[in-house]
Amino acid sequence: MLYYVSGPVTVLEPGLAVIDCGGVGYGCRVTAYTAGQLKLNQSARLYITESVREDAYDLYGFISREEQRCYELLTSVNGVGPKAAMAILSSGGPQNFMLAVMTGDEKMLTAAQGIGKKIAQRIILELKDKVGGASAELDFSGPTVTAPAAPGNHAALANAALQELGYSPAEIAAALKGVDPGATTEDMVRFALRAMVMKG
């Protein structure tokens, strides 16, 4: 099993990156998000998910384990294959995908090529608990809440949601630095994810 490949990028085309590993070129299918962070002839590391079928053997390469996890979550949904998963991650990156699922944002998912409303709804339904935690308190999709929460609770819920996405307490603290303490939980999560993207 390939865990990752590391080496100079020798070919960089839409949807494809070739990594030279000791004289052997590994052709990896990549998202626009990953491709945007690669540079020709510069060293890179891609985390690999293999796809073996009777008629094909494909390597899917991801710039981060977070993006790889998103891909694997997507392909676990009935009706979502590798092509659809890569399209979704290409359209907004892993952070926007996670946020779309957590907030029930179908439009963000259907912005990806070939993704219709029914598939978007299925993705949100099947993955919401997996990416947002089992707690109902982390359900941000509703337009209203049953009871107003204190600002401190918003920060705690945002922190919990970001931990569910795999971020460390130190990363979360840095990303939430400067956030409006009166912001909603959803706005705090968006603020933090934007900060992560800018930092990355």
Side-chain angles (χ1 to χ4, degrees):
M1 181 184 81
L2 288 174
Y3 187 76
Y4 65 78
V5 293
S6 182
V9 180
T10 57
V11 175
L12 187 57
E13 300 173 354
L16 175 70
V18 177
I19 308 294
D20 187 329
C21 301
V24 177
Y26 288 88
C28 305
R29 297 184 184 276
V30 295
T31 63
Y33 174 83
T34 286
Q37 299 183 59
L38 301 177
K39 290 185 179 179
L40 201 60
N41 300 321
Q42 290 194 14
S43 187
R45 172 181 292 180
L46 295 181
Y47 295 93
I48 300 297
T49 295
E50 298 171 272
S51 175
V52 182
R53 302 191 305 274
E54 287 184 8
D55 58 344
Y57 172 56
D58 293 317
L59 300 179
Y60 292 87
F62 305 95
I63 198 69
S64 67
R65 279 185 293 246
E66 179 192 20
E67 188 187 27
Q68 183 185 44
R69 177 172 176 257
C70 289
Y71 170 83
E72 291 170 352
L73 282 170
L74 277 164
T75 53
S76 73
V77 176
N78 185 34
V80 179
K83 185 177 179 180
M86 297 294 275
I88 290 170
L89 293 173
S90 287
S91 69
Q95 291 89 354
N96 283 339
F97 159 67
M98 286 285 202
L99 193 57
V101 173
M102 289 168 61
T103 59
D105 189 344
E106 294 174 18
K107 289 183 180 179
M108 194 179 292
L109 296 176
T110 56
Q113 186 176 2
I115 303 302
K117 187 174 181 178
K118 286 185 178 179
I119 289 292
Q121 290 173 339
R122 188 182 303 156
I123 289 169
I124 291 168
L125 180 66
E126 293 191 22
L127 298 184
K128 191 156 202 171
D129 286 345
K130 293 182 181 179
V131 304
S135 171
E137 291 179 311
L138 298 182
D139 180 0
F140 310 135
S141 61
T144 58
V145 291
T146 54
N153 290 343
H154 287 306
L157 289 175
N159 197 291
L162 290 163
Q163 285 187 43
E164 288 291 337
L165 297 184
Y167 293 109
S168 70
E171 288 174 322
I172 294 168
L176 287 174
K177 189 175 181 181
V179 71
D180 179 0
T184 64
T185 302
E186 182 180 343
D187 285 342
M188 287 186 178
V189 171
R190 287 183 187 276
F191 180 93
L193 291 176
R194 276 195 219 100
M196 304 278 190
V197 172
M198 294 295 290
K199 184 179 178 182

